[in-house]
Amino acid sequence: MADLSINFAGIRAPNPFWLASAPPTNSGHQIHRAFEHGWGGAVWKTIGAPVLNISNRYGGLSIAGQRLLAINNVELISDRPLDVNLREIAEVKRMWPDRAVIVSAMVDADPQAWKDIVAMIEDTGADGIELNYGCPQGMSERGMGAAVGQVPEMCELNTHWVTSITKLPVIVKLTPNITHIVDPAHAALAGGANALSLINTINSVMKIDLDTLRITPNIGGRGTHGGYAGPAVKPIALNMLTELMSDPQVRASGVPISGMGGIVTWRDAAEFLLLGATSLQVCTAAMHYGYRIVEDMIDGLSNWMDEKGFATIYDVAGKALPQTSTFGELDLAYQAVARIDPDKCINCNLCYVACNDTAHQCIDLVTGGGVRVDPGYDIRANGRQVADTRPQPVVRESDCVGCALCANVCPVDGCIEMVSVPSGRESVTWDQLTAQRPEIATSWDAMMAYRREQGIDIH
């Protein structure tokens, strides 16, 4: 079997699956139960300044009957007394010495405040500290959370205050509510961070109730922005992870990254690992399905690694990174076209509508007799029957630009595939082309001349 154990900045765990700092890690009782189900670690719900939470706290995004595709929360950090949290942290670590117990912390941007909380955390025997620079609601208005993570200078300064007084591994949790995720990452490294984690929740307003005209979640008739998480944020998280892992300074530092944001299945977990994360944090999936979800994650990831011949997590980590690129480095001569499997097609015509209304009008509806028709055609034309079956969508490959919209709207797996075909052109990237012929980037006449030379016809 594959070895799922990790050593993350000196923090050891039997597997990379950690519960993120959130409601699932609110108490020692919860984390005991989570560890019994197999979680490799847990980041304790953020401790720090006194808070008072409100209700309702969560708003959910459901689409076509699928529940909790995303969750919006207006919950703050732990509202349990600091001494209770610290006592339970020590108890959990004593009972589970092989599991990673990391304490998330958030206090005022003041060196003494950090000194005090760090000393308390060290006394618990915890394995590490995660600095919460991401919380976008409530705490940010008090100058903490995202208010620190959005200002690189503050990120560096606060991190330095912590790393200068502790030997525990320090993980900096980055906020996604920023233009360029690399900037606070550089600041955290400059402050001495031993590791990074991302993403925290995304600032959002979930929805408006069209009957009451109130924001959801509704708190006594009022609402506010909150943190957006769950399966719907995974593409954003993967992009930001890729940005960090593609950055020369981050790569050169060698600091490990804990990835989170929309991990629900082992497949999601594998994607984060393939882009360079070496520990994985989960929140919304545990809130939706309970702690036992980790059993499927562990089995699925282990079996996949065995099938692929990966012996350890570190054999997987970053394997997909060499394929990441910028637009300017992509091959302009590559050509793909859509092909529809008539045996799988259910004649819903979604591909036809999508292509003809919003793409490149290269799908026709063709009857069994080879007659092209419109979607609402009459089976009888001029008093004679033109077909005895519903028309079949057929791609005119000569006009297909390979946008893949049809493949994405098709409800049948494998019915429409994007197939690579020879373009007849030599491979060239935009960067290469504009270096050779810079006028192409500024003149439409030059661009059209190049297209004529290459036989590129965009209808």
Side-chain angles (χ1 to χ4, degrees):
M1 289 181 61
D3 179 6
L4 300 189
S5 65
I6 61 169
N7 182 337
F8 185 84
I11 302 171
R12 296 182 179 276
N15 63 65
F17 296 106
W18 298 355
L19 284 169
S21 172
T25 60
N26 189 49
S27 69
H29 170 72
Q30 290 171 278
I31 295 177
H32 280 303
R33 290 177 50 228
F35 285 171
E36 287 172 350
H37 285 295
W39 291 90
V43 185
W44 207 275
K45 185 170 170 59
T46 306
I47 62 173
V51 298
L52 191 61
N53 274 301
I54 47 81
S55 61
N56 299 302
R57 300 181 190 176
Y58 307 132
L61 176 66
S62 301
I63 298 177
Q66 189 170 349
R67 307 287 288 181
L68 219 60
L69 289 173
I71 191 171
N72 169 286
N73 87 87
V74 293
E75 184 165 293
L76 304 180
I77 65 175
S78 177
D79 53 9
R80 303 167 74 238
L82 190 57
D83 62 327
V84 173
N85 275 307
L86 293 167
R87 183 180 69 248
E88 292 181 5
I89 292 167
E91 290 172 354
V92 167
K93 187 57 197 176
R94 185 169 61 251
M95 294 183 67
W96 297 92
D98 68 324
R99 306 302 169 92
V101 178
I102 299 97
V103 180
S104 175
M106 181 194 298
V107 294
D108 291 326
D110 175 79
Q112 188 60 48
W114 281 114
K115 184 176 181 180
D116 292 343
I117 197 75
V118 166
M120 296 176 196
I121 293 170
E122 288 178 330
D123 287 344
T124 66
D127 298 298
I129 302 172
E130 184 178 79
L131 307 183
N132 184 343
Y133 295 164
C135 187
Q137 78 282 349
M139 307 309 293
S140 56
E141 284 91 326
R142 293 168 57 176
M144 293 176 266
V148 173
Q150 290 169 334
V151 182
E153 294 80 4
M154 290 297 293
C155 182
E156 178 180 349
L157 185 60
N158 280 258
T159 304
H160 173 71
W161 286 336
V162 176
T163 58
S164 64
I165 60 173
T166 186
K167 293 183 179 180
L168 288 177
V170 176
I171 306 168
V172 170
K173 189 172 186 178
L174 302 175
T175 176
N177 302 299
I178 195 164
T179 303
H180 195 200
I181 194 71
V182 169
D183 293 336
H186 287 174
L189 296 178
N194 305 110
L196 303 172
S197 63
L198 79 165
I199 60 173
N200 209 310
T201 55
I202 302 167
N203 215 358
S204 62
V205 171
M206 181 57 81
K207 59 184 176 183
I208 308 296
D209 187 311
L210 298 186
D211 292 322
T212 65
L213 310 186
R214 290 176 176 173
I215 295 173
T216 299
N218 171 15
I219 303 100
R222 300 179 72 89
T224 185
H225 63 98
Y228 187 72
V233 311
K234 187 182 77 169
I236 298 169
L238 291 176
N239 174 63
M240 290 189 168
L241 173 60
T242 302
E243 286 187 82
L244 289 193
M245 293 305 300
S246 301
D247 178 74
Q249 186 173 332
V250 174
R251 292 290 296 275
S253 73
V255 300
I257 295 179
S258 184
M260 74 195 87
I263 297 175
V264 178
T265 70
W266 69 265
R267 293 177 179 274
D268 301 323
E271 291 181 62
F272 278 82
L273 293 172
L274 288 166
L275 287 176
T278 48
S279 88
L280 308 162
Q281 296 189 36
V282 179
C283 171
T284 306
M287 295 175 73
H288 194 174
Y289 300 108
Y291 294 136
R292 291 191 65 177
I293 192 173
V294 76
E295 297 170 9
D296 291 336
M297 291 179 173
I298 291 171
D299 288 346
L301 182 63
S302 179
N303 291 337
W304 173 77
M305 288 174 62
D306 289 343
E307 290 174 6
K308 293 293 184 181
F310 296 126
T312 72
I313 292 296
Y314 301 95
D315 294 331
V316 180
K319 279 290 185 181
L321 282 172
Q323 300 176 47
T324 62
S325 180
T326 64
F327 180 86
E329 298 171 330
L330 300 176
D331 186 0
L332 295 172
Y334 177 79
Q335 181 63 53
V337 296
R339 285 187 182 161
I340 303 171
D341 184 340
D343 294 331
K344 294 182 179 179
C345 180
I346 61 174
N347 301 106
C348 67
N349 294 341
L350 283 174
C351 61
Y352 173 87
V353 173
C355 183
N356 281 275
D357 285 358
T358 64
H360 287 269
Q361 301 81 49
C362 64
I363 297 180
D364 299 317
L365 294 180
V366 180
T367 68
V371 179
R372 291 171 55 182
V373 297
D374 292 325
Y377 81 108
D378 186 345
I379 199 169
R380 303 191 69 82
N382 298 323
R384 64 183 181 84
Q385 185 168 310
V386 297
D388 54 9
T389 59
R390 295 186 64 183
Q392 177 75 39
V394 177
V395 178
R396 278 180 283 109
E397 294 188 8
S398 60
D399 289 331
C400 179
V401 301
C403 73
L405 176 61
C406 59
N408 282 282
V409 301
C410 180
V412 180
D413 289 342
C415 179
I416 302 181
E417 295 188 3
M418 302 306 298
V419 180
S420 177
V421 296
S423 68
R425 306 193 302 273
E426 290 188 9
S427 176
V428 66
T429 69
W430 178 256
D431 289 346
Q432 293 169 337
L433 179 60
T434 53
Q436 299 164 5
R437 300 171 66 167
E439 69 278 6
I440 286 176
T442 58
S443 167
W444 268 107
D445 288 341
M447 172 61 77
M448 296 309 293
Y450 176 76
R451 289 182 181 179
R452 286 192 294 271
E453 292 171 17
Q454 299 297 317
I456 300 172
D457 178 29
I458 300 176
H459 73 290

